Amino acid sequence: MEQSVVSRRREYEEKLERDRQNLQNIKDAMAKSNALSQNMASILNAFEDRLHRLENSVKPVQLRTLTLTRLQDNVAVTLRKLGSIVEFHHVAGGVDQPIRDGPGVGDIETYLGLMDRVNRAKDFFAANNPGSMELANSTETFKIGVEKLVKEFRTILHQNGKTVPVKLMVDMATGSGDDEIVVEHLPGRVQDTLTKIATWLVDIAHNSEFLAVYFQSRATLLSRSMTALREAVRHGGVNVPTKKPIAAKDTPQRRQGGHIFRREPTQRPRRMSLREKPLAQASGGGRNAPTVLDESYVVPLISGKDWGSVEGTYAFVTSCSVFYQLLMSERALMHSIIPSQHHRTCFQQLLATPLDFFVAEGENLNNAVKRVLSKNDYQAVLSGLRILQHLQQLTPQYQELLKGLKGDPASRINMLTSLFENTCYKSLIEFCDYVKNDSDKISNMPKDGTVHEITSSTVSFLQQCMDLQEVIGKLLLPHDPSAQAATTTRPTRMALGSYFNKVLRVLTQNLQAKANCYENTSLQTIFRLNNFHFIHKSLTKSTDVLLILEEETPDIEDNYNDMVGRERMKYQKVWSKALNYLMVSDQFHKEQTLSKNEREAIKEKFKGFNTELDDIFRTQRTYALPDESLRESIRRENIELIVPFYRTLLERYGGVPFTKNPSKYIRHQVTDVERILRSFFDASA
């Protein structure tokens, strides 16, 4: 136990001794470190003192150097300014002659550079020496240069401007021709030159004189293009298209310097839609920004007669479409040349004169429609309606194109549309009155009882109106309360159906009155039969007209069919007297001896029938049933009515000895009677 304690104590003492030794080593190291730190601090203090002394000795040299450098820079700037000032004094004399000579061919940028130098000199003297001779000289040179630029602008426009080819304008109107229609008003290089001149004149010279040059030149060319188109169409230089072209593929290619009209690849229907394309495509987007051709301003491809009887209708409708498209292309051209702050003013001035001519032409044509209508030529209604249809379809585009211009030029298009609306509505009402009150004098009646001209022209007019049903419906709707109150989704169609029914009602009444002009009742019947049958057959063929009529009168087809049936029954009464002669009441034998009264009765039957047949044939061979199916059916009905009775008469009395001269009374065999009946309504028989 004691030994372990001694051993543990010895360990503690040894450990304590080691710790004392370590502590002494640490103290020695600390003392050495403190000595080194003191030495380093002394060295740094000495170095800092030396740096302060160096800075104090260098700082004056540095300040002197900065002063000298600043002086040198000032001298350089002064020399440059002085050089510029000296140059300003010599600019007017140095560039005066080149500026007076004007821009060289294809060297407009060099000329504009000279003008920039003169402008800087002018501004300098105006700011620093307002009363100097140099200011007067530079101002004079600048003024001459501006005049030369305006003159160059005018020369380039006049030399390169050209009217749009007539064929190209017709392609615009009809949507025919190539896949792509390009109106190249000016070559691309020329446009670039004009753009540079216009931009410089506005931005630098603050000159707007060239604007008048531009809009006068472009307005003149636009008017000439439209005049050339109208003259070509009016004088037969352009044929009225009558069939649809193959739909073009939508594969436009950009061409330098042209305004592209690109058509959509869809097949165009005969009736045009009112879809509106965005005009932004024609108002910005660069020189060759394409304009998609809207179907609403493509001239409909219809036969010449459907344009009506007023000369110039097709020409004006074509002009209406082309004028709009050319205005779009002119606006696109203007946007590529004229700075934006002058777009509205320039475009308004550009279109003023052409718009005056266009509106005046429309007003003259409206007056022409009225003059033709005053002569009871109601084919003129079609002319007015065709024009109105196109104006209504183009009015939204015109309004968008002319929006925001002073004087509201779009209102002039609206005014022109209103003129034709009033004229067309009045003419439709007058047409109905004309049908109602058409003269029923015998001198105006067909001698053979054929279809009256008023019938064929009225039915034809209604058929032609079908291609214009939307236009006519819109005209009639405001004046038709029943159509307005109708629950149908298409009140315009209801209004048109009401008008069609009214026309046919007054036509039927007029035909009834006209028939009474004939003294012969059978001719009255033939006349009514011909006309009612013509109306009925026309309705069955023209299902679109029939559907319109059925909007108000669902059974109108049956009504006319009944009228035809009644007239056919009335016609059969012409045979009533002849049938009385053919009636057989007694039966005789060949060997039987007849009394005198019996013989006379038989003679009277044959004699009376022969006389009636001859009289009826003589009159009715001059009557006309122009419809082959009606003519054959009436002949067949006559045969079915007369021949069986006549055959019975021959069978009963043909072999009876009622006379010594049978051929005097039995003049016709059954086949002869049938042949005669088949010759009815044939003047050559």
Side-chain angles (χ1 to χ4, degrees), residues 66-84:
L66 289 174
T67 302
L68 292 175
T69 302
R70 191 178 297 113
L71 290 174
Q72 184 180 8
D73 292 341
N74 290 340
V75 170
V77 171
T78 302
L79 289 175
R80 286 197 300 272
K81 293 291 185 181
L82 183 60
S84 299

Side-chain angles (χ1 to χ4, degrees), residues 306-310 313 369 372-373 377-388 420 423-431 461 465 468 472 475 499:
D306 289 334
W307 289 102
S309 58
V310 179
T313 300
V369 171
V372 177
L373 287 172
D377 182 357
Y378 286 94
Q379 284 293 306
V381 181
L382 297 175
S383 298
L385 290 171
R386 287 290 175 193
I387 295 171
L388 177 60
F420 277 98
T423 299
C424 290
Y425 175 72
K426 290 180 181 178
S427 64
L428 288 172
I429 301 304
E430 290 172 0
F431 175 74
F461 179 80
C465 284
L468 299 156
I472 300 174
L475 284 177
Y499 176 76

Side-chain angles (χ1 to χ4, degrees), residues 119-134:
N119 184 57
R120 288 193 296 270
K122 178 176 69 67
D123 292 343
F124 172 80
F125 290 120
N128 298 282
N129 195 0
S132 64
M133 181 62 68
E134 287 80 1

Side-chain angles (χ1 to χ4, degrees), residues 157-209:
L157 272 179
H158 289 172
Q159 288 180 347
N160 295 277
K162 56 186 178 182
T163 59
V164 181
V166 171
K167 184 180 183 305
L168 190 62
M169 288 188 285
V170 172
D171 288 345
M172 286 184 192
T174 61
S176 58
D178 298 331
D179 294 352
E180 172 190 307
I181 299 177
V182 179
V183 181
E184 190 177 50
H185 293 296
L186 295 169
R189 176 183 56 80
V190 172
Q191 286 191 46
D192 291 338
T193 300
L194 293 174
T195 301
K196 291 174 182 176
I197 295 175
T199 303
W200 191 92
L201 287 173
V202 170
D203 295 344
I204 307 300
H206 307 294
N207 181 285
S208 59
E209 181 183 350

Side-chain angles (χ1 to χ4, degrees), residues 367-508:
N367 293 331
V369 171
K370 291 180 179 179
R371 286 194 300 271
V372 177
L373 287 172
S374 66
K375 301 175 183 178
N376 292 332
D377 182 357
Y378 286 94
Q379 284 293 306
V381 181
L382 297 175
S383 298
L385 290 171
R386 287 290 175 193
I387 295 171
L388 177 60
Q389 179 188 48
H390 216 58
L391 283 174
Q392 287 179 340
Q393 291 169 338
L394 277 173
T395 294
Q397 281 86 342
Y398 271 111
Q399 289 177 336
E400 182 67 21
L401 180 66
L402 306 178
K403 182 173 61 177
L405 299 181
K406 290 183 180 180
D408 192 16
S411 64
R412 302 188 65 189
I413 303 296
N414 296 335
M415 177 273 294
L416 190 60
T417 303
S418 297
L419 278 180
F420 277 98
E421 285 177 347
N422 293 334
T423 299
C424 290
Y425 175 72
K426 290 180 181 178
S427 64
L428 288 172
I429 301 304
E430 290 172 0
F431 175 74
C432 189
D433 293 338
Y434 167 74
V435 173
K436 179 180 180 180
N437 301 316
D438 184 53
S439 174
D440 55 1
K441 295 180 181 179
I442 188 61
S443 59
N444 296 328
M445 299 294 291
K447 295 180 179 180
D448 56 2
T450 189
V451 178
H452 198 281
E453 182 182 2
I454 190 68
T455 304
S456 58
S457 60
T458 300
V459 172
S460 176
F461 179 80
L462 296 183
Q463 291 171 339
Q464 290 172 311
C465 284
M466 287 308 302
D467 200 33
L468 299 156
Q469 56 180 298
E470 289 297 328
V471 180
I472 300 174
K474 289 178 181 178
L475 284 177
L476 298 172
L477 183 59
H479 308 278
D480 190 338
S482 60
Q484 296 177 25
T487 58
T488 177
T489 57
R490 297 188 64 183
T492 56
R493 187 177 176 88
M494 185 71 179
L496 182 63
S498 177
Y499 176 76
F500 277 15
N501 275 281
K502 181 178 180 181
V503 171
L504 286 185
R505 280 196 299 271
V506 298
L507 174 63
T508 302

